Amino acid sequence: MATLSSSLKDRLSTPLKIGSFEVNSRVLQSPLSGVTDLVFRRLVRRYAPNSMMYTEMVNATGLHYVKQLPKIMEIDPNERPISIQLFDCRPDFLAEAAQMAVQEGADTIDINMGCPVNKITKNGGGSSLLRQPEVAEAIVRSVVQAVSVPVTVKTRIGWSDKEINAVEFAQRMEAAGAQMLTLHGRTRAQGYNGSARWEWIAKVKEVLSIPVIANGDIFSVDAAVRCLEQTGADGVMCSRGTLGYPFLVGEVDHFLKTGELLTPPNPIERLECARDHLQMLWEYKGERGIRQARKHMTWYAKGFLYAAELRGKLAVIENLDQGLVLIDQAIERLRQQGWQPEEDEMLQLVEV
Ligand SMILES: Cc1cc2nc3c(=O)[nH]c(=O)nc-3n(C[C@H](O)[C@H](O)[C@H](O)COP(=O)(O)O)c2cc1C
């Protein structure tokens, strides 16, 4: 079970300073393409009102030619603190996109230098910038010059095991004017497999003066505390652990501030949150929102007998009512029968 040492509590008790911008939380919600839209961020903020959040990554070239804000760049006027994340390899397009992002209300601009997806790297964006540090540097300089808000970078530890250059790369980003660096402790070649190598985050933290945020495998309060202890990082960023679980950032934040573990939501509370998520996605995006909701719904429906059956049905919902009825029926059944572990979880219990 997680315990909060007084040294960790003291170290993290002050606001996170990103250049001149202060954030009253050391726990951040990561950018997740296809997930962290305005609706998802609103849910995360219910439990973590002070945490920094990020839009999904926005293509600067697309913005340059279309000159119209895509929906993924929309932010709620009341949602703060918020960073708009951009990707591209062209310093001039990124500078222009950053100015549009600031007009939209971004508190900081984050540049994606970690995305492993081929479609992005073959055009010179995302993690391919790890192999072109001079371009990455030019990008940071150009964006820093273009906007008055702080500019931050999110990257990985290297392209592959043979090309781990996190320390040198991070130093170059700092020298170019980045005001914070988030480091995902995997190489591009790892994708999302294997473990995040927090030891590299510790090495980077040792040499930078700007805040370093640790990212990778933060699936619980316990993992967040271990990561902060092992890396000395200035904060942690939760990512896949928030899929179907928008409570995680708030749980970690609460623990770091108080040393108390919040009682995790039970399956009924999770399904009630799923219900809100579905309703909000419908209101915000209409039918497209329903299609996007399918994956979210299956992530929520976990941890009780019959959850697999429910997931199968939620994965193919066609409209709002269908989804709401399924969720309400599941909640009613749980209220009447209580909940038991899922079958695979029961098997694990038997094996133990
Ligand atoms: C579905 C998905 C979408 C992602 N989209 C983005 C993105 O838009 N921008 C970004 O910087 N990272 C993105 N990431 C990477 C995560 O922010 C994070 O760095 C990574 O998942 C490692 O953390 P984890 O091991 O806790 O999941 C994405 C990851 C996933 C799984």
Side-chain angles (χ1 to χ4, degrees):
M1 202 182 87
T3 51
L4 184 63
S5 65
S6 54
S7 63
L8 188 61
K9 189 171 180 209
D10 289 350
R11 179 158 75 74
L12 302 178
S13 65
T14 54
L16 174 65
K17 287 197 175 125
I18 311 172
S20 55
F21 188 71
E22 289 195 359
V23 179
N24 284 319
S25 169
R26 300 296 185 130
V27 194
L28 300 86
Q29 167 67 55
S30 77
L32 287 164
S33 188
V35 175
T36 54
D37 58 11
L38 189 148
V39 168
F40 185 81
R41 298 195 302 269
R42 203 173 281 164
L43 287 169
V44 176
R45 275 187 211 284
R46 276 189 186 168
Y47 312 99
N50 300 314
S51 285
M52 182 65 142
M53 314 221 167
Y54 294 77
T55 62
E56 304 165 70
M57 59 182 183
V58 178
N59 180 347
T61 299
L63 273 183
H64 175 78
Y65 289 111
V66 180
K67 299 264 187 282
Q68 202 187 0
L69 288 189
K71 202 152 175 88
I72 55 167
M73 210 165 152
E74 267 179 20
I75 57 182
D76 188 326
N78 300 319
E79 67 164 324
R80 306 282 304 275
I82 180 79
S83 182
I84 291 187
Q85 193 191 53
L86 304 171
F87 75 94
D88 215 290
C89 64
R90 288 200 43 172
D92 51 345
F93 286 2
L94 278 158
E96 190 187 342
Q99 286 170 342
M100 290 167 82
V102 170
Q103 268 175 20
E104 181 58 14
D107 293 313
T108 67
I109 301 295
D110 190 65
I111 315 284
N112 182 318
M113 301 194 186
C115 180
V117 175
N118 272 334
K119 203 170 73 177
I120 310 289
T121 55
K122 76 177 190 319
N123 289 321
S127 57
S128 72
L129 288 164
L130 281 159
R131 292 178 124 181
Q132 300 191 65
E134 64 294 340
V135 179
E137 243 173 34
I139 287 172
V140 173
R141 284 189 206 288
S142 158
V143 179
V144 166
Q145 243 189 2
V147 293
S148 54
V149 302
V151 176
T152 63
V153 167
K154 180 168 177 286
T155 189
R156 291 184 176 234
I157 60 175
W159 180 260
S160 66
D161 276 2
K162 289 193 181 133
E163 293 175 72
I164 294 185
N165 59 344
V167 173
E168 185 208 322
F169 188 82
Q171 283 174 315
R172 291 177 78 152
M173 296 307 104
E174 177 173 56
Q179 300 277 16
M180 183 171 85
L181 185 107
T182 301
L183 192 57
H184 174 191
R186 289 187 174 85
T187 61
R188 188 265 177 178
Q190 271 184 279
Y192 298 97
N193 301 319
S195 305
R197 291 179 256 174
W198 294 342
E199 64 274 19
W200 283 102
I201 302 176
K203 287 181 192 170
V204 168
K205 170 62 195 165
E206 257 174 42
V207 299
L208 291 201
S209 308
I210 55 172
V212 173
I213 304 299
N215 173 236
D217 292 348
I218 309 293
F219 288 98
S220 62
V221 172
D222 186 60
V225 171
R226 276 187 289 111
C227 178
L228 286 163
E229 297 274 15
Q230 286 174 29
T231 59
D234 299 280
V236 275
M237 179 181 274
C238 302
S239 195
R240 285 172 298 170
T242 66
L243 299 178
Y245 202 81
F247 314 93
L248 183 60
V249 177
E251 286 177 356
V252 178
D253 187 48
H254 185 80
F255 187 78
L256 293 181
K257 284 175 176 154
T258 64
E260 284 167 19
L261 276 176
L262 291 172
T263 308
N266 64 38
I268 292 181
E269 289 161 337
R270 288 184 65 170
L271 287 178
E272 283 168 346
C273 185
R275 194 181 200 288
D276 287 350
H277 199 158
L278 178 64
Q279 180 92 41
M280 287 156 71
L281 273 174
W282 164 251
E283 282 161 17
Y284 184 53
K285 295 182 181 169
E287 279 179 19
R288 202 162 57 88
I290 298 296
R291 286 196 297 279
Q292 290 179 0
R294 293 173 181 156
K295 62 181 180 224
H296 289 286
M297 298 299 109
T298 62
W299 292 330
Y300 281 103
K302 277 195 188 136
F304 53 93
L305 203 56
Y306 313 121
E309 184 189 324
L310 178 61
R311 284 197 293 276
K313 291 180 179 164
L314 288 169
V316 292
I317 53 170
E318 294 287 348
N319 56 50
L320 175 68
D321 285 348
Q322 214 185 343
L324 293 181
V325 167
L326 284 169
I327 293 171
D328 287 343
Q329 283 172 347
I331 290 176
E332 195 45 42
R333 189 173 184 177
L334 286 167
R335 282 213 174 101
Q336 284 176 9
Q337 301 176 359
W339 51 87
Q340 294 165 293
E342 280 192 60
E343 271 167 11
D344 56 344
E345 289 171 5
M346 283 209 280
L347 279 178
Q348 281 170 18
L349 290 177
V350 172
E351 279 164 17
V352 169

